[in-house]
DNA sequence: ATTGCATATCGTCGATGTACGATATGTAAA
DNA sequence: TTTACATATCGTACATCGACGATATGCAAT
C-alpha cells in the first residue's frame, strides 16, 4: 500500500448532496493502516513472536527470521510506525513489545467487519 | 506487499536441527495475504459495501468510490485473488459478494493473534 | 450482425516495498 | 578513549502498487 498515497477526490466527502462519509473513511484508513502492518509474512511472524514472548525481545528476532538484519529492522520500523509495536532502548540493545491497545484495535476493527 | 516475493531462505524450514516451522509460515502467509487484501482504504470500503448489501452489487461500487472505473476493477481483482470476494456474471453485469468463509478465516486469524 | 452498455485488461507513469550489503550511530565494557 | 557489540540508516536494485485513460471483451437487445 502507498502509505501516504494522495487519493484524488473526484467527489467531495462532505457536501450538500449526501451524508458525510468522513468517519467511515477515517475508519477505513485506520483499518487499512493496521492491516498493512501485518500484510507481510515476516511482519506477521514478528508480531506473533512478540506476543508469544511477553518479555520484549530485540536481536533475537533477527535470529528467528531468514532475513538480513537490515531487512528485519525495516520491518520493525514499519510495525513501529503502525503503532502495533513499541521499542525501548535497554542498554546497547532495543527491546520490542506489542502495544496491546493497538492490537486490540486491530482485532476490534476486523471483528466489526 | 510483494504478493509473490521470493524470500531467500537462509535457514531451511524443515531440517534436523529443530522443529518444523512450515505450518507457522503457511499460516503467516495466509494471514498476510488476507490482511493485504484489506490493506488499502478503498478495498476496506468495498468490503464493507459488499457486507452491508448482501445483495451482490457490481458497478454500483464504482459510483460509491472516488476512483476511476479501471482502478476499482483493479481493487476488485485483488480482492477476488485473495478469495475474500467472489464475482459472478449476471447478464452484462457482474455481481460481487463476500465469501463468508474467507471473511471468517480472516477474522479468526486476526482474533487468534 | 450491430449497437450499446458494463466490465476487464492494457500501457504508462510515478511512488513505494522489499531485499541486501555497507556504513553510521549509540551504548557499555575494557 | 578505545573497543566491541547491537541496532538503525543509507544507497541501490528490482518488483509491485495505485492511479489514470484508452481499449478490448462480453452480453443483451434491436
Amino acid at each position: 500500500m502507498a502509505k501516504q498515497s494522495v487519493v484524488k477526490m473526484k467527489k467531495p466527502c462532505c457536501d450538500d448532496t449526501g451524508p458525510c462519509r468522513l468517519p467511515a473513511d477515517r475508519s477505513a484508513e485506520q483499518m487499512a493502516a493496521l492491516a498493512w502492518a501485518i500484510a507481510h509474512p515476516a511482519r506477521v511472524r514478528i508480531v506473533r513472536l512478540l506476543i508469544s514472548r511477553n518479555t520484549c525481545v530485540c536481536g533475537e528476532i533477527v535470529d528467528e527470521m531468514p532475513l538480513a538484519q537490515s531487512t528485519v529492522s525495516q520491518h520493525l520500523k514499519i510495525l513501529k510506525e503502525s503503532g502495533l509495536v513499541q521499542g525501548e532502548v535497554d542498554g546497547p540493545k532495543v527491546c520490542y513489545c506489542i502495544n496491546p491497545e493497538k492490537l486490540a484495535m486491530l482485532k476490534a476493527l476486523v471483528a466489526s467487519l
Side-chain angles (χ1 to χ4, degrees), chain A:
Chain A
M1 187 193 74
K3 198 195 323 171
Q4 39 195 12
S5 69
V6 178
V7 176
K8 203 185 301 176
M9 298 296 282
K10 292 198 296 189
K11 299 177 181 176
C13 164
C14 294
D15 53 10
D16 307 326
T17 64
C20 178
R21 232 185 278 116
L22 235 194
D25 288 347
R26 284 217 182 283
S27 169
E29 286 173 15
Q30 200 173 34
M31 185 161 171
L34 284 173
W36 165 252
I38 57 168
H40 191 286
R43 294 198 290 272
V44 172
R45 290 185 56 183
I46 292 174
V47 168
R48 283 180 172 161
L49 196 65
L50 292 181
I51 291 175
S52 68
R53 316 191 187 183
N54 52 6
T55 151
C56 304
V57 283
C58 60
E60 299 175 306
I61 302 172
V62 175
D63 297 334
E64 289 291 329
M65 307 288 298
L67 297 170
Q69 175 264 328
S70 56
T71 305
V72 173
S73 193
Q74 272 190 87
H75 284 302
L76 284 169
K77 187 180 181 183
I78 290 174
L79 286 170
K80 267 193 294 183
E81 286 172 351
S82 77
L84 258 184
V85 161
Q86 293 170 325
E88 144 183 15
V89 285
D90 176 30
K93 303 185 176 181
V94 177
C95 278
Y96 286 99
C97 58
I98 285 288
N99 180 349
E101 297 173 5
K102 280 285 181 180
L103 180 60
M105 181 180 296
L106 169 61
K107 289 184 179 182
L109 283 170
V110 172
S112 72
L113 276 178

